[in-house]
Structures are given as structure tokens and as C-alpha cells.
Amino acid sequence: MSAVALADVAATGDRAGVLDLLATMDDKARRAARKPLDAAWKDLTRADSREVRDAVTLAALGCCVTSAEAARALISLWRRQRDSSDWAGPQVDAFAGRDAGWLAEAGRRVAATVPVRRPNDWALSGHRNGELYRLARGLLWMAGAVPAADDGFVLEWALTKWRRKPEHTLADVVRPGWAPGEGTVAEAFRADPYTAVFLPLAFGITGFGTFLVHDWHWRPDLLALTETGELDRVTLIDRCVDGLVRGGRAVEMRGFQKLLDEVQPTEDELAERAADWAGLAGRAEMPSAGRAVESLRRLLDAGRLDIGLLTETSYAVLARPEKTLVRAHVKLVAEALRRTPGDAAALLPAIASAFGHDDTTVQEQAWRLAARHLATAGEAVRAQLADAL
């Protein structure tokens, strides 16, 4: 009887009546009601009123028995909404009363399918990916479950913070009466319990560095979070370095480099990542490689640059074609030898690799440096230099 009543009530557009009936139905009754409701759902057209379409959709969703069925139904519904936005949210009311495990499983299944939007679309409001995100998060809120850390879900979460939408409850985002928050992006992140876990993950999504370059970037807000502890300073530096090491489009690298420069790593923070600066000096695109050489120079000035690391780095950097970078590195080696001439035997063979550089100024720098320290280099090194010449 309830199955027939549910279809009849849904056909009148009575959303509240649909929810009342769903609350009284067990799985057997839901299965019995699915066939007529599925047919009604498929027959919905734009000619039907919004109230009827919402009520039939709600009833059909409420008759999903398993969490997997519910997730598939929500994803299918989302795909049908290509020409509309800001519709997601009330649909999850159909699952009121389901146990937390059921809701959490459905939410995680939906979250796993949220696509990663293109970087050019990050600034768009009303993007359809945000609708699927809100469905997933609504289910997870109802379950009291920790959201899944899939890239698409994490990205939509981060962009919601950028728009300063206060996601304390689902109603704040998807129901009438909501207004944008007036606080800063940093305050939006502070208000969210998942910032410490999700924000570092956002750095690994392709396009995040590009987002940091634009006029509407959030670099000051990220720095503000490190000052109040929501984002660990070490984590922020590591994520920037990871982005530079990972490589990618030049514009994306500029974003990570800008943020890293604004963080202003301390001497200790530089020393902890000496191997990273060495790797970037040898492999990264300009200007990141140049910044890495500057970091090595700061470590040298502080007496914290390992000679073995400098030697290994020199072979890689001096083989690069960028004359400005190579000249700067030769000066770095020259300064290292001025301070500790006894390291000539280790460093001069690396300098010899610059004897044949395409830039004649680099060649002259290398020859003069080698000549200056020949006396302390040892016979074996002098023979290597002669062969290189």
C-alpha cells in the first residue's frame, strides 16, 4: 500500500509527504515502489512543474536499498543536470534515517567520482563539479564521517573556501537564504575541521601552482594560516618544494616559487632541504634553478653547505646551457674555494666541465678559477684539468 501511496504523493509534487512516507517504509516496501517510480522518473520532462520533478526524484532516491544503488542514482542524476546549477542538496534528505555506515559508504562512492576540473575553470562559480561535491559532502555530514581525500573532492572543497562559503551545515550552501561569507579566505579555512588534512593535498593537484599566480591568488591567506597554526609552516614549504621538484608548466612553477619566496625560509629550513636545492639547481627551469643556487649560497655563507653536495651539484649545473645560471654557480664555487682552499681537489674537476661551455665568459671564469687553485689541487687533479683543456 505504501508503495502505491508514495507514487501517488510524488505525482502531486508533495515533497513533505514523500519524506513522511519514506520514513515509514522498510527495504521490502522500497523495492516494491521502485518500478513505478523509476518509470515516472524517466518520464519527467521540462513541462512538469519543479515541485513534481523534485518530489518524484526524491521518492526514487529514497527507494534505493543499498548505498551503492544510492550513489549510482545520485551520480546519474547529476549527469542529467548539465544545463542547471545550484540544485544539489535537498536530494540527500531522501536518505534521512539510514544508518551512519550506509550514508558514509554512499558519500565516499560519490566523492570518488567528483572530476578534477581544468585549471582554467577554477575561478568559475556554479561549476557543475561543485554540485556533485555538495551531494557527497551532504551524505558525509549526515553520517558524521570523515570526507574522502580524492583529488576532485579536495579541489572542490578548497575552491569553496576560496569563495568563503561557510560550510558549517549543508543548508549554508544549497538552500534558500544563504549569502556569501564576509570574512577572509583564511577565516574560511580556519572554520573547517579538515583544513589540516585537505589543504596540503590540494598542492599536489595539477593547476594549483597556476592558481597561486593569478591576481585573485590566496598566498597571503596561506601565510596567515601558518601564523595561527592551521597550516604547518614546514608543510607549506615542503609542498612548495614538492611542486617545484615535480615540475610542470612554467606558470605553475612561478606560483610555487612566489609562495616559497614569500614564506622566506629560515637558515634551518634551508639546511633541512639542501638536497632539494641542489636537485632544483641542476634540473629545474629558470628562475627556480637560479633561486636554488641562491639558497645554496645562503647555506655556504652560513657554513652549512656540504662540500660533497656542492661538488655533485656543480657537475649538473655547469653542464646547463643557461649562461646566467652557470656564471652564478661558478661564482658560488669560487667563494667556496676562497673560504676553504683545501677543497680544490674535490671541486676543480667539476669546474673543468665548464671549460667547453658555449659561453666564453663561463669558460674564462672556469679557467681563471682553476689556475688560481692549481697549487693546492694535487698532481692527479692537475692532470685531469690538463686533459679537460
Side-chain angles (χ1 to χ4, degrees):
M1 182 63 182
S2 58
V4 176
L6 181 64
D8 291 342
V9 170
T12 68
D14 184 356
R15 184 177 179 277
V18 167
L19 292 176
D20 289 341
L21 281 174
L22 286 174
T24 67
M25 297 171 67
D26 57 17
D27 286 348
K28 182 179 179 180
R30 292 189 180 104
R31 289 191 182 95
R34 279 168 52 174
K35 187 173 181 179
L37 283 170
D38 286 346
W41 190 11
K42 292 177 182 178
D43 290 339
L44 289 175
T45 68
R46 291 188 178 278
D48 294 302
S49 69
R50 178 64 182 267
E51 291 75 14
V52 169
R53 284 184 281 138
D54 286 350
V56 171
T57 297
L58 202 65
L61 289 173
C63 287
C64 294
V65 175
T66 68
S67 57
E69 289 173 344
R72 285 195 299 270
L74 287 170
I75 295 166
S76 175
L77 179 63
W78 170 74
R79 287 172 177 158
R80 293 174 61 186
Q81 304 293 325
R82 293 186 181 277
D83 298 325
S84 63
S85 63
D86 204 25
W87 60 272
Q91 294 83 359
V92 299
D93 288 343
F95 310 121
R98 303 296 179 96
D99 67 76
W102 191 100
L103 292 167
E105 177 64 19
R108 291 181 180 128
R109 285 174 179 270
V110 175
T113 66
V114 178
V116 178
R117 57 168 103 175
R118 300 176 305 171
N120 288 343
D121 293 341
W122 283 25
L124 298 179
S125 60
H127 194 281
R128 62 189 309 269
N129 288 5
E131 307 296 336
L132 191 59
Y133 159 77
R134 287 192 280 275
L135 286 174
R137 183 143 188 182
L139 288 165
L140 292 165
W141 266 322
M142 290 172 68
V146 176
D150 302 283
D151 280 357
F153 187 90
V154 169
L155 175 58
E156 296 303 322
W157 169 88
L159 294 179
T160 300
K161 300 296 151 307
W162 175 61
R163 296 188 182 91
R164 296 172 296 173
K165 290 187 176 182
E167 292 190 287
H168 302 304
T169 68
L170 191 62
D172 291 327
V173 181
V174 300
R175 293 181 183 167
W178 175 85
E182 296 181 356
T184 65
V185 175
E187 289 169 347
F189 277 118
R190 289 190 186 107
D192 195 288
Y194 306 114
T195 291
V197 176
F198 277 7
L199 187 52
L201 296 177
F203 279 75
I205 299 173
T206 300
F208 190 85
T210 304
F211 197 68
L212 295 173
V213 174
H214 288 291
D215 293 338
W216 26 260
H217 64 77
W218 49 18
R219 297 195 305 273
D221 297 285
L222 294 176
L223 293 174
L225 292 175
T226 65
E227 295 170 359
T228 51
E230 289 81 14
L231 179 62
D232 185 68
R233 178 181 169 89
V234 171
T235 299
L236 182 60
I237 295 174
D238 285 344
R239 295 294 80 78
C240 288
V241 173
D242 288 346
L244 293 171
V245 171
R246 188 167 58 246
R249 297 174 59 202
V251 64
E252 187 159 11
M253 298 304 98
R254 285 201 300 273
F256 288 123
Q257 189 64 61
K258 280 178 175 288
L259 181 55
L260 186 60
D261 290 344
E262 292 170 5
V263 174
Q264 298 181 339
T266 65
E267 181 183 300
D268 287 340
E269 290 166 343
L270 288 174
E272 290 170 1
R273 298 163 182 82
D276 291 320
W277 314 132
L280 289 170
R283 297 189 302 274
E285 297 292 328
M286 295 289 289
S288 294
R291 291 288 207 288
V293 171
E294 292 174 9
S295 296
L296 294 175
R297 177 60 187 257
R298 283 184 60 187
L299 291 176
L300 176 67
D301 291 342
R304 303 181 69 172
L305 181 58
D306 178 74
I307 189 62
L309 181 63
L310 178 58
T311 300
E312 179 182 349
T313 306
S314 297
Y315 280 107
V317 177
L318 298 179
R320 295 185 59 144
E322 302 95 339
K323 58 184 180 181
T324 302
L325 176 67
V326 176
R327 290 176 187 177
H329 193 80
V330 172
K331 290 180 180 179
L332 172 64
V333 176
E335 178 61 22
L337 288 174
R338 187 189 68 80
R339 299 182 184 204
T340 53
D343 290 332
L347 289 170
L348 288 187
I351 284 295
S353 64
F355 288 172
H357 197 277
D358 290 341
D359 182 58
T360 56
T361 300
V362 169
Q363 294 177 20
E364 292 173 3
Q365 281 182 303
W367 294 338
R368 290 172 181 169
L369 182 58
R372 192 179 307 134
H373 294 278
L374 276 178
T376 57
E379 188 61 35
V381 173
R382 286 196 289 271
Q384 291 182 48
L385 297 178
D387 288 342
L389 283 170

